[in-house]
Amino acid sequence: MISYIIKKEAMEVSRDGRTRLLAIVMLLLGLTGLLAGWANYADQQRNALFAQEDDQTVFLDQGERNPHSAAHFGRMAYKPASPLASFDPGAAPFMGQVIWLEAHQRNPAMFRPAADSLELGRLSNFSVAGILTVLLPLLVFLLGYSALAGEREHGTLRQTLTAGTSTGKLFAAKYIVIASTGIALAAVTIIASAVMALFSPVALSATDTLVRALGLTAFYAVYVLALTGFALLVSALCKQSRTALLVLLGIWAVAVMVLPRVGASVAAQTFPIPDGAQVWSELRADIASNRVAPDSAEYKAAEQFVVSRALGRDVSLAELATMDLNASGLRLEVTEVLDYAVLNNFYADIYDRYAGQRDVRRWFALLSPAIALQHASSAFAGTDFVAHQHFSDVAEVQRNNIVRVMNEDLLLNGAGATTYLAGENFWEEVPEFTYQFPPVSLAWRSAAFDILLLLLWGAIATALAWTVTRNRLTV
Amino acid sequence: MADVLRAESLSKRFGTHTALNSLNLGVASGEIVCMLGANGAGKTTTINLFLGFLEPSDGKALIDGTNVQSDTTAARKLLGYVPEQVALYPSLTGLENLEYFMRLSGAPNISEPHLRSLLDKVGLDQAAATKPVQDYSKGMRQKVGLAIALGKNAKALLLDEPLSGLDPKAANEFCALLRVLANEGKAVLMATHDLFRAREISDKIVIMKSGNMVASLESAALDNASLEKIYLQHMHDPDTLLEAAS
């Protein structure tokens, strides 16, 4: 029997001009956003690939040069845009795209598209995820506000129940049709995004893309289920469908438009991220306070470690005192080794602040499923701060490798030379920077709590809607 | 003959207000019973109790022996219901509305020829059957409502002011159809304000007042004037009574 109700509901939905119009507008907006996003991020990916190759060429062609000078000349690590960034750019526009890998410093990423855009330009950068997050509730609420209130108001509820069906079947059919419409719309755009992601200049594996697309579809589906529950809950509670519509529009404005912004603002106030000037002054202060005296045991141990690693064998302190090494090269590498922990701790603290911001927003997600969805969506699109941290950490390992190769060459080959120059072929010993996107397991770990919140939203909203419908829906 | 619709000491109270007080009423197969009474007399409450939309405070409502309160869904399957305003889905055609409600009721034959024959039987124009019901007149909607009741092959029909707002021709057609259905064996209980139409088509008339059944009359023994007189006597309106007597 429920299939007949579903068929009738679907027929009504398909004949409702307002719903058709909104669905078409959403689909067009989504596909336009997707195409615009894909063109933008594919271009960014191509630029990153080109720039990385160019950087490699320039580095290899520098001829004879002092290795430490080359370490300061540095390399660039270009972050390729995630293939799914065209679906959900997440935090990527705010996190920077290029990290300068140089001696002594772990630099923050440069070139943040959001910071470089004019305010009006930002408005035009609408993403598919943003459109779905904001407009799916409108579509679902438009489909659901009169689902029960309207039936009661127009008397069809009485007619339907008299025909011999139950409130449960009526509720289930309406729930299925409303939720299916929203989920279908989300699924179409996510599948289109995944297909386009496979054809990006820098693509993920097909399996990874599929798992991410399935995850995204599931999250948006649960979001739609929560919205459907809300719509039916309000529709069952309100005597008139017009009242239900007004209440739902109010919920939409608060939960989708206001709370995510308030949450982000409170999070930024609670866990402020230092700006560029602060980063440098705090970093210098941390490094200065960590410096140890050259005659200290810790410094000597670092020297022993550096030389042993360079030679590939254990060197005692006594042997070290007799070795003919380039003192400048040794000092530079020892300083690098001693500073690694400070630099890494500093950046770990910054990323802890990002995590703190996310935790604050999660409190707001208890009031709005849109926030939990934003977290889960950007995690699976590979555009959240966790994905950026992954890139930053890989880039830092590369920086460590470059500086080590430079310093060890100076240390071992520059003994006695007043100005040591490495040969023109030496630069090929520096490994090329290649970046592999993090596995999807990182996204699961990053978004596990948000996924749980979304599931809770879906379950609670649906259970509440059903309970209220069963107990309070009267003719 | 056993009653298809049966109220046994059926009562409904809302707080201290008694909407229906110990009603005992039976409607047999093939019989049309009309309930007359002013607004608030208990007519719609009686129908809602038979439909299972209200729970009785005392007594019980039975449909072909099935207690409405204990097995509402089964009882409703035995009923056809035509309210004052037949509620249909406006974007669906008459044919689609009929099919939908018949499917919900589990009717065995839902072929299009059968659906069209039902609409034909209630006098709905075939061309109108495929138009959205948002374009229907009230009379056309009432006809679809009756077709739904027919399609269910219900044993009893409950009609709540079905003639209200119908033009005389449509009301005549509707009443004639009710008579046909009763002759086919349906038990019909109709609430109405239309005394004369009630007398014409019913076998029995009951007069309700303040939740009580104050009179039960055989229609065949009445003419219009006597029915009006009895009705007004029960309504205790001396001025109107005087006017009717003159």
Coordinates of all heavy atoms in Angstrom, one line a residue, chain A residues 151-187:
Chain A
E151 N -2.4 18.4 4.5 CA -3.4 17.3 4.4 C -4.5 17.5 5.4 O -5.7 17.3 5.2 CB -2.7 16.0 4.7 CG -1.7 15.5 3.6 CD -2.3 14.5 2.7 OE1 -3.5 14.2 2.8 OE2 -1.5 13.9 1.9
R152 N -4.1 17.9 6.7 CA -5.1 18.2 7.7 C -6.0 19.4 7.4 O -7.2 19.3 7.5 CB -4.4 18.4 9.0 CG -5.3 18.6 10.2 CD -4.6 18.5 11.5 NE -3.4 19.2 11.5 CZ -2.4 19.0 12.4 NH1 -2.5 18.1 13.3 NH2 -1.3 19.7 12.3
E153 N -5.3 20.4 6.9 CA -6.0 21.7 6.6 C -7.0 21.5 5.5 O -8.1 22.0 5.5 CB -4.9 22.7 6.1 CG -5.3 24.1 6.3 CD -4.1 25.0 5.9 OE1 -3.0 24.5 5.6 OE2 -4.2 26.2 6.0
H154 N -6.7 20.7 4.5 CA -7.5 20.5 3.3 C -8.5 19.3 3.4 O -9.3 19.1 2.5 CB -6.7 20.4 2.0 CG -5.9 21.6 1.8 ND1 -4.5 21.5 1.6 CD2 -6.2 22.9 1.7 CE1 -4.0 22.8 1.4 NE2 -5.0 23.6 1.5
G155 N -8.4 18.6 4.5 CA -9.3 17.5 4.7 C -8.9 16.2 4.1 O -9.6 15.2 4.2
T156 N -7.8 16.2 3.3 CA -7.4 14.9 2.6 C -6.8 13.9 3.6 O -6.8 12.7 3.4 CB -6.3 15.2 1.6 OG1 -5.4 16.2 2.1 CG2 -7.0 15.8 0.3
L157 N -6.4 14.4 4.8 CA -5.9 13.5 5.8 C -7.0 12.6 6.3 O -6.9 11.3 6.4 CB -5.3 14.2 7.0 CG -4.8 13.4 8.2 CD1 -3.6 12.5 7.7 CD2 -4.3 14.3 9.3
R158 N -8.2 13.2 6.5 CA -9.4 12.4 7.0 C -9.8 11.5 5.9 O -10.1 10.3 6.1 CB -10.5 13.5 7.2 CG -11.8 12.9 7.5 CD -12.8 14.0 7.8 NE -12.8 14.5 9.1 CZ -13.7 14.1 10.1 NH1 -14.7 13.4 9.8 NH2 -13.5 14.6 11.3
Q159 N -9.8 12.0 4.6 CA -10.2 11.1 3.5 C -9.2 9.9 3.3 O -9.6 8.8 3.1 CB -10.1 12.0 2.2 CG -10.8 11.3 1.0 CD -12.3 11.5 1.0 OE1 -12.8 12.5 1.5 NE2 -13.0 10.5 0.5
T160 N -7.9 10.2 3.5 CA -6.9 9.2 3.4 C -7.0 8.1 4.5 O -6.9 6.9 4.2 CB -5.5 9.8 3.4 OG1 -5.4 10.8 2.3 CG2 -4.4 8.8 3.1
L161 N -7.1 8.6 5.7 CA -7.2 7.6 6.8 C -8.5 6.8 6.7 O -8.6 5.6 7.0 CB -7.2 8.4 8.1 CG -5.8 9.1 8.4 CD1 -5.9 9.8 9.8 CD2 -4.7 8.0 8.5
T162 N -9.6 7.5 6.2 CA -10.9 6.8 6.1 C -10.7 5.7 5.0 O -11.4 4.6 5.1 CB -12.0 7.7 5.6 OG1 -12.0 8.8 6.6 CG2 -13.3 7.1 5.6
A163 N -9.9 5.9 4.1 CA -9.7 4.9 3.0 C -9.1 3.6 3.6 O -9.2 2.5 2.9 CB -8.8 5.4 1.9
G164 N -8.5 3.7 4.8 CA -8.1 2.4 5.4 C -6.6 2.4 5.5 O -6.0 1.3 5.9
T165 N -5.9 3.5 5.3 CA -4.4 3.4 5.5 C -4.1 4.0 6.9 O -5.0 4.5 7.6 CB -3.7 4.3 4.5 OG1 -2.3 4.0 4.5 CG2 -3.9 5.8 4.7
S166 N -2.8 3.8 7.4 CA -2.5 4.2 8.7 C -1.6 5.4 8.7 O -1.0 5.8 7.6 CB -1.7 3.1 9.4 OG -0.5 2.9 8.7
T167 N -1.5 6.1 9.8 CA -0.7 7.3 9.9 C 0.8 6.9 9.6 O 1.5 7.7 9.0 CB -0.8 7.9 11.3 OG1 -2.1 8.0 11.7 CG2 -0.1 9.2 11.4
G168 N 1.2 5.7 10.1 CA 2.6 5.3 9.9 C 2.9 5.2 8.4 O 4.0 5.6 8.0
K169 N 2.0 4.6 7.6 CA 2.3 4.4 6.2 C 2.3 5.8 5.5 O 3.1 6.0 4.6 CB 1.2 3.5 5.6 CG 1.5 2.0 5.9 CD 0.4 1.2 5.4 CE 0.6 -0.3 5.9 NZ -0.6 -1.1 5.8
L170 N 1.4 6.6 5.9 CA 1.4 8.0 5.3 C 2.7 8.7 5.6 O 3.3 9.3 4.7 CB 0.2 8.7 5.9 CG -0.2 10.0 5.2 CD1 -0.7 9.8 3.8 CD2 -1.3 10.7 6.0
F171 N 3.1 8.6 6.9 CA 4.3 9.3 7.3 C 5.5 8.8 6.5 O 6.3 9.5 6.0 CB 4.5 9.1 8.8 CG 5.8 9.7 9.3 CD1 5.9 11.0 9.7 CD2 7.0 8.9 9.4 CE1 7.1 11.5 10.2 CE2 8.2 9.4 9.8 CZ 8.2 10.7 10.2
A172 N 5.6 7.4 6.4 CA 6.7 6.8 5.8 C 6.8 7.2 4.3 O 7.9 7.5 3.8 CB 6.6 5.3 5.9
A173 N 5.6 7.2 3.6 CA 5.6 7.5 2.2 C 6.1 9.0 2.0 O 6.9 9.2 1.1 CB 4.2 7.3 1.7
K174 N 5.6 9.9 2.8 CA 6.0 11.3 2.6 C 7.5 11.4 2.9 O 8.2 12.2 2.2 CB 5.1 12.2 3.6 CG 3.7 12.3 3.1 CD 2.8 13.1 3.9 CE 1.4 13.2 3.4 NZ 1.3 14.0 2.1
Y175 N 7.9 10.8 4.0 CA 9.3 10.8 4.3 C 10.2 10.3 3.2 O 11.2 11.0 2.8 CB 9.5 10.0 5.6 CG 10.9 10.1 6.2 CD1 11.2 11.0 7.2 CD2 11.9 9.2 5.8 CE1 12.4 11.1 7.7 CE2 13.2 9.3 6.4 CZ 13.4 10.3 7.3 OH 14.7 10.4 7.9
I176 N 9.8 9.2 2.6 CA 10.6 8.6 1.5 C 10.6 9.5 0.3 O 11.7 9.8 -0.3 CB 10.0 7.2 1.1 CG1 10.3 6.2 2.3 CG2 10.6 6.7 -0.2 CD1 9.6 4.9 2.1
V177 N 9.5 10.1 -0.1 CA 9.4 10.9 -1.3 C 10.2 12.2 -1.1 O 11.0 12.6 -2.0 CB 8.0 11.2 -1.7 CG1 7.9 12.3 -2.8 CG2 7.3 10.0 -2.1
I178 N 10.0 12.9 0.0 CA 10.7 14.2 0.3 C 12.3 13.9 0.3 O 13.1 14.6 -0.3 CB 10.2 14.8 1.5 CG1 8.8 15.2 1.4 CG2 11.1 16.1 1.9 CD1 8.1 15.6 2.7
A179 N 12.6 12.9 1.1 CA 14.1 12.6 1.3 C 14.7 12.2 0.0 O 15.8 12.6 -0.4 CB 14.3 11.6 2.4
S180 N 14.0 11.3 -0.8 CA 14.5 10.8 -2.0 C 14.8 12.0 -3.0 O 15.8 12.0 -3.7 CB 13.6 9.9 -2.7 OG 13.3 8.8 -1.8
T181 N 13.9 12.9 -3.0 CA 14.1 14.1 -4.0 C 15.4 14.8 -3.6 O 16.2 15.1 -4.5 CB 12.9 15.0 -3.9 OG1 11.7 14.3 -4.0 CG2 12.9 16.1 -4.9
G182 N 15.5 15.1 -2.3 CA 16.7 15.9 -1.9 C 18.0 15.0 -2.1 O 19.0 15.6 -2.6
I183 N 17.9 13.8 -1.8 CA 19.1 12.9 -1.9 C 19.5 12.7 -3.4 O 20.7 12.8 -3.8 CB 18.9 11.5 -1.3 CG1 18.8 11.7 0.3 CG2 20.0 10.6 -1.6 CD1 18.3 10.5 1.0
A184 N 18.5 12.6 -4.3 CA 18.7 12.4 -5.7 C 19.5 13.6 -6.2 O 20.4 13.5 -7.0 CB 17.4 12.2 -6.4
L185 N 19.0 14.8 -5.8 CA 19.6 16.1 -6.3 C 21.1 16.1 -5.8 O 22.0 16.5 -6.6 CB 18.9 17.2 -5.7 CG 18.9 18.5 -6.6 CD1 18.3 18.3 -7.9 CD2 18.1 19.6 -5.9
A186 N 21.3 15.8 -4.6 CA 22.7 15.8 -4.0 C 23.6 14.8 -4.7 O 24.7 15.1 -5.1 CB 22.7 15.6 -2.5
A187 N 23.0 13.6 -4.9 CA 23.7 12.5 -5.5 C 24.2 12.8 -6.9 O 25.3 12.5 -7.3 CB 22.9 11.2 -5.5

